[in-house]
Amino acid sequence: DRAAVSPRGTYLVTYQTTTRATVVCDTSTGEMLAGATIAGSADPVGALAVHDNGDVALGGGDGFVELYRVRDGRFATGIAVDVRFGGEAVDVTSMALRDGTIAAGIRPTGGRAAVSRVLVWDATGGGTPVQFDTDYRDVAAVGLLGPSADLVVVAGVDVARGTLLQVWEVGTRRRLGRALGGLAGDVVSMGGDASAVVAVDSEGRALTWSLVTDP
């Protein structure tokens, strides 16, 4: 009941909440790269992501994000971070993974906060997780951009303007330009690089925006 595709479409990860079975497969051949029953801190899993090397990120539980690296066809021991708001339980609503850096959309369980937050965590580099408020009640999708994952794009719904995407600098937590519009309904897929963002909505519309990152 959970699935995600890597940024370049190399791998697909699936997760079954009833059994915790986690499987990574090659999208071109269908061959399984790794599979295991994972019962970590992020159980039950609310969102997940996979990188083009097969590494997997899981988010869930009362507010935990985990990274499981794949080596020689096996999942290595996972590493985790607590993303709760001062100990308050949160839902992990969306995730992205790129070169060991994880982005996640998080909100207090029950939706009591006015806005959701975004977490960016350099899991393999051992960096301190960065969190900041978004402009949206809910983060429908997140994506990491740039060669060092130093940009994050956040998709949310604005009451007056509909579905919008906003690009942020991770290090400075500064918005880059205006929000990007044109989508309708839910964002079902999103990605890109330092020069462009691509997103697909639930009505089957796919849009590309060019990015100029110079302030």
Side-chain angles (χ1 to χ4, degrees):
D1 24 9
R2 301 281 186 271
V5 179
S6 64
R8 296 185 180 276
T10 306
Y11 289 110
L12 167 73
V13 60
T14 61
Y15 179 89
Q16 189 175 40
T17 54
T18 55
T19 65
R20 303 166 181 162
T22 308
V23 178
V24 179
C25 291
D26 188 304
T27 55
S28 60
T29 66
E31 182 180 357
M32 185 175 72
L33 174 69
T37 298
I38 296 178
S41 302
D43 181 43
V45 168
L48 74 169
V50 60
H51 188 50
D52 289 305
N53 61 3
D55 292 349
V56 172
L58 305 176
D62 288 331
F64 292 89
V65 168
E66 301 175 316
L67 175 67
Y68 292 90
R69 309 193 76 176
V70 173
R71 296 294 178 267
D72 300 322
R74 296 173 178 266
F75 288 112
T77 301
I79 55 176
V81 65
D82 186 340
V83 301
R84 292 175 292 182
F85 297 170
E88 180 182 9
V90 299
D91 297 323
V92 181
T93 60
S94 54
M95 297 191 74
L97 173 61
R98 184 167 182 165
D99 292 327
T101 298
I102 299 172
I106 53 179
R107 67 180 177 202
T109 301
R112 292 184 292 274
V115 295
S116 290
R117 308 187 96 190
V118 166
L119 164 92
V120 180
W121 177 37
D122 181 4
T124 57
T128 301
V130 174
Q131 291 190 41
F132 55 89
D133 290 339
T134 69
D135 301 318
Y136 313 118
R137 285 290 299 269
D138 195 11
V139 176
V142 290
L144 290 164
L145 311 176
S148 303
D150 51 358
L151 301 177
V152 59
V153 56
V154 178
V157 177
D158 181 271
V159 175
R161 301 171 60 193
T163 303
L164 299 174
L165 276 60
Q166 179 67 57
V167 179
W168 302 69
E169 285 183 335
V170 174
T172 64
R173 308 179 198 183
R174 179 173 62 89
R175 295 176 183 83
L176 282 182
R178 304 174 186 172
L180 310 173
L183 294 173
D186 296 330
V187 179
V188 297
S189 181
M190 185 171 65
D193 55 28
S195 62
V197 174
V198 181
V200 181
D201 65 23
S202 57
E203 296 185 3
R205 182 183 292 105
L207 294 180
T208 301
W209 298 266
S210 297
L211 295 180
V212 178
T213 55
D214 188 330

